[in-house]
Amino acid sequence: MDPAIELAARLLFAAAVFAIMAAWEVWAPRRRLAAGRRSRWPGNLGIVVVDVLTVRLLVPTAAVGASLYAAGHGIGLLHYLNLRLSVAALLGFLVLDLAIYAQHVVFHQVPWLWRLHRMHHADLDIDATTGVRFHPIEIVLSLLIKLGVVAAIGAPALAVLVFEVLLNATSIFNHSNVRMPPPVDARVRWLVVTPDMHRVHHSIIRAETDSNFGFNFPWWDRLFGTYRAQPAQGHQGMTIGIDKFRDPAELRLDRMLTQPFRDDAGR
Ligand SMILES: [Zn+2]
Ligand SMILES: [Zn+2]
């Protein structure tokens, strides 16, 4: 598949999910935003443009391309197992999600990777735009890791495409500032990471930042002991962000791009 078509499909789907979540945020917001939209959205949306252009320039193929390459050359664990396509697709999806979880944990633990990832955490609020706020170097690194995982397991192209599309959608969903009745949240979070669950991950409190690493499935956090149900200070009382970079000027696109290369007293 032409990577441009895959990218266009993902962008279109992500834009639709974004429009729905942004409307929901206006209709039923979970928290009063501390910094607001006007100071944050230009930077958060600007970085998406930088990310998309960087990936298009630097990485010749997307994850589906890696899957098709692996299939054409008989590479990858799943090709040897001779499973039914549906089973292979399901397994591929699960392994990819576990890999993203593991990658997220590593990006919190390795100091130079945290420098890249902490820009995602430096947002002073969390809403749908935070779900696409990643440093371009982190985006390229994650894509390379994903290409490696896809080739190593030989995940079917369909599973990879669905995974990519859903990962964008769930990231926008679980970062959004939407109110959901607690009983609904409690049920939904057994299947997919909810906004209340991921918000804990954006707490300024270290132990809370290092919890709820999942993006799609919430099961890995429960399985590996990194699950934290609610923030200690409640969703209204908690502070979003990290110690470093609390100056609103840091929400500007140029400052966001240079954050990884500036001193980090927090760690
Ligand atoms: Zn994180
Ligand atoms: Zn996040």
Side-chain angles (χ1 to χ4, degrees), residues 137-160:
I137 302 176
E138 178 177 3
I139 289 285
V140 169
L141 278 180
S142 342
L143 180 55
L144 293 178
I145 293 168
K146 210 167 359 181
L147 293 177
V149 173
V150 165
I153 60 174
L158 178 71
V160 177

Side-chain angles (χ1 to χ4, degrees), residues 104 117 120-121 126 130-131 134 171 174-175 198 201-202 215:
H104 193 179
H117 180 62
H120 175 67
H121 284 268
I126 168 170
T130 315
F134 292 94
S171 184
N174 63 39
H175 283 88
H198 191 71
H201 185 74
H202 282 259
F215 269 102

Side-chain angles (χ1 to χ4, degrees), residues 21-256:
M21 298 317 297
W24 188 350
E25 285 179 339
V26 172
W27 172 60
R30 182 69 163 103
R31 284 165 52 90
R32 241 177 81 91
L33 296 183
R37 292 190 187 86
R38 214 172 303 166
S39 58
R40 298 171 40 256
W41 279 33
N44 286 4
L45 296 176
I47 201 113
V48 181
V49 178
V50 176
D51 288 348
V52 170
L53 291 177
T54 308
V55 164
R56 284 293 286 154
L57 275 173
L58 290 183
V59 189
T61 180
V64 174
S67 160
L68 295 175
Y69 180 87
H73 291 75
I75 305 170
L77 193 64
L78 288 172
H79 292 300
Y80 293 105
L81 297 177
N82 264 331
L83 300 165
R84 278 174 35 203
L85 179 64
S86 53
V87 178
L90 213 67
L91 273 177
F93 192 98
L94 271 174
V95 173
L96 272 170
D97 199 53
L98 175 60
I100 296 286
Y101 166 87
Q103 179 197 320
H104 193 179
V105 173
V106 171
F107 269 68
H108 273 240
Q109 283 173 349
V110 179
W112 73 270
L113 291 173
W114 168 251
R115 276 180 173 265
L116 299 171
H117 180 62
R118 73 182 179 194
M119 195 220 81
H120 175 67
H121 284 268
D123 201 349
L124 296 177
D125 283 311
I126 168 170
D127 68 12
T129 62
T130 315
V132 291
R133 183 194 213 262
F134 292 94
H135 197 278
I137 302 176
E138 178 177 3
I139 289 285
V140 169
L141 278 180
S142 342
L143 180 55
L144 293 178
I145 293 168
K146 210 167 359 181
L147 293 177
V149 173
V150 165
I153 60 174
L158 178 71
V160 177
L161 182 64
V162 172
F163 183 80
E164 291 280 71
V165 168
L166 278 186
L167 188 63
N168 292 143
T170 51
S171 184
I172 293 168
F173 167 72
N174 63 39
H175 283 88
S176 61
N177 182 39
V178 297
R179 200 169 59 228
M180 212 190 272
V184 176
D185 178 283
R187 288 196 182 172
V188 175
R189 74 164 65 183
W190 277 106
L191 187 67
V192 67
V193 175
T194 63
D196 273 12
M197 183 176 162
H198 191 71
R199 194 172 300 106
V200 178
H201 185 74
H202 282 259
S203 162
I204 197 167
I205 298 169
R206 182 78 254 154
E208 294 184 346
T209 315
D210 289 335
S211 65
N212 298 2
F213 292 97
F215 269 102
N216 280 331
F217 295 133
W219 311 322
W220 314 120
D221 282 300
R222 295 187 189 248
L223 199 62
F224 297 113
T226 51
Y227 176 68
R228 202 171 275 263
Q230 306 294 342
Q233 292 173 337
H235 289 280
Q236 306 299 333
M238 70 186 293
T239 303
I240 303 290
I242 50 176
D243 280 334
K244 194 85 180 163
F245 309 126
R246 297 206 67 81
D247 182 346
E250 293 292 341
L251 298 166
R252 261 179 19 217
L253 181 59
D254 58 322
R255 307 274 268 182
M256 286 161 66

